[in-house]
Amino acid sequence: MPSQKITLSKYFKDGIHFSCLQCGECCRGLNNGEVYLYREDIERLVEHLNSNGQQYTLTSFSRKYVKVVRSSFYWENSKNGGGKNYSFKALGIKFIGEDESCPFLVNNCICSVHTARPYQCRAYPIGWNMLIKSNRNFAKYSKDCPGLKKSLEQKGEYYTPKEIIKWARKEYQMEKQFFLEMKKHQFDLFKTYSFLPKDLSQ
């Protein structure tokens, strides 16, 4: 997870054009890492699904769609300029199938919860600290993401550097808040999020 300092790479320093083309490529977890979930993500997804006729509680939703993953956070010490990297349990989407697709992906490329999707999904790519800071990571992701390929042609919605930094700071603040909650509860995930079922898959 990122530190608070944000220095935009050459692809983002002057702003970027980007529009999601809903190809579904980044919705398959096999090669794209985890989709992290926080309390507000789960609450928003439950509300969305229930408004469409489902009857989930936070607990039943978590049992079906959530798994335990590993995460980390670098805690900066403002007094001496140092810091410490913490590693702990977090929550992620429980992928399905051989290609580890998101369970909300339908017809191979359409997100069925697009308006309520997790922050990590809605923030891509402008809110991803690991992407906006790194030329190397941008080059890697743009190979598979048609939206990023189009951004090189300056096609898509335009985001200013100020907007990009705002999105990225939001990501940092969410991760920081979760870290502080976990630290308060001695990094016990089930005490931090008491609605989680005790048999949650890990």
Side-chain angles (χ1 to χ4, degrees), residues 128-188:
W128 285 28
N129 279 271
M130 54 81 70
L131 190 54
I132 65 175
K133 296 178 181 180
S134 169
N135 293 332
R136 181 178 180 180
N137 284 340
F138 182 92
K140 175 184 176 181
Y141 276 81
S142 63
K143 290 180 180 179
D144 297 319
C145 175
L148 282 184
K149 289 179 182 177
K150 291 291 185 182
S151 73
L152 296 173
E153 303 171 13
Q154 296 189 339
K155 294 181 179 179
E157 183 177 352
Y158 177 70
Y159 296 91
T160 67
K162 185 177 180 179
E163 289 175 310
I164 294 169
I165 290 175
K166 182 178 179 180
W167 276 87
R169 283 180 174 160
K170 167 69 172 176
E171 180 195 41
Y172 175 82
Q173 289 302 322
M174 289 179 67
E175 294 173 354
K176 179 182 177 181
Q177 180 181 346
F178 177 68
F179 164 74
L180 291 175
E181 288 183 39
M182 286 286 283
K183 193 170 186 288
K184 177 182 177 181
H185 292 94
Q186 292 76 50
F187 295 98
D188 187 323

Side-chain angles (χ1 to χ4, degrees), residues 10-177:
K10 68 178 183 180
Y11 296 104
F12 292 89
K13 65 182 181 65
D14 296 320
I16 192 171
H17 292 263
F18 179 81
S19 292
C20 176
L21 302 181
Q22 295 196 47
C23 67
E25 187 62 36
C26 64
C27 304
R28 299 176 182 87
L30 187 61
N31 297 312
N32 291 307
E34 305 292 353
V35 175
Y36 292 96
L37 294 173
Y38 299 99
R39 185 189 304 271
E40 63 185 71
D41 291 319
I42 296 173
E43 291 175 343
R44 185 171 57 251
L45 285 164
V46 167
E47 181 180 0
H48 174 79
L49 292 172
N50 288 352
S51 70
N52 286 280
Q54 304 295 321
Q55 295 183 337
Y56 286 109
T57 63
L58 296 180
T59 301
S60 62
F61 174 90
S62 298
R63 179 174 285 111
K64 184 172 182 178
Y65 293 114
V66 179
K67 66 179 180 180
V68 177
V69 298
R70 297 300 303 180
S71 188
S72 63
F73 188 86
Y74 184 76
W75 180 248
E76 297 177 345
N77 189 325
S78 58
K79 293 183 179 180
N80 59 24
K84 178 181 178 181
N85 195 61
Y86 289 81
S87 180
F88 45 87
K89 293 179 179 179
L91 299 177
I93 287 283
K94 187 189 299 183
F95 299 125
I96 60 174
E98 292 184 1
D99 62 351
E100 296 189 353
S101 295
C102 174
F104 301 112
L105 192 67
V106 296
N107 298 327
N108 205 39
C109 64
I110 303 299
C111 176
S112 62
V113 294
H114 195 259
T115 58
R117 64 197 186 280
Y119 182 80
Q120 180 177 332
C121 302
R122 66 180 63 238
Y124 176 85
I126 58 172
W128 285 28
N129 279 271
M130 54 81 70
L131 190 54
I132 65 175
K133 296 178 181 180
S134 169
N135 293 332
R136 181 178 180 180
N137 284 340
F138 182 92
K140 175 184 176 181
Y141 276 81
S142 63
K143 290 180 180 179
D144 297 319
C145 175
L148 282 184
K149 289 179 182 177
K150 291 291 185 182
S151 73
L152 296 173
E153 303 171 13
Q154 296 189 339
K155 294 181 179 179
E157 183 177 352
Y158 177 70
Y159 296 91
T160 67
K162 185 177 180 179
E163 289 175 310
I164 294 169
I165 290 175
K166 182 178 179 180
W167 276 87
R169 283 180 174 160
K170 167 69 172 176
E171 180 195 41
Y172 175 82
Q173 289 302 322
M174 289 179 67
E175 294 173 354
K176 179 182 177 181
Q177 180 181 346

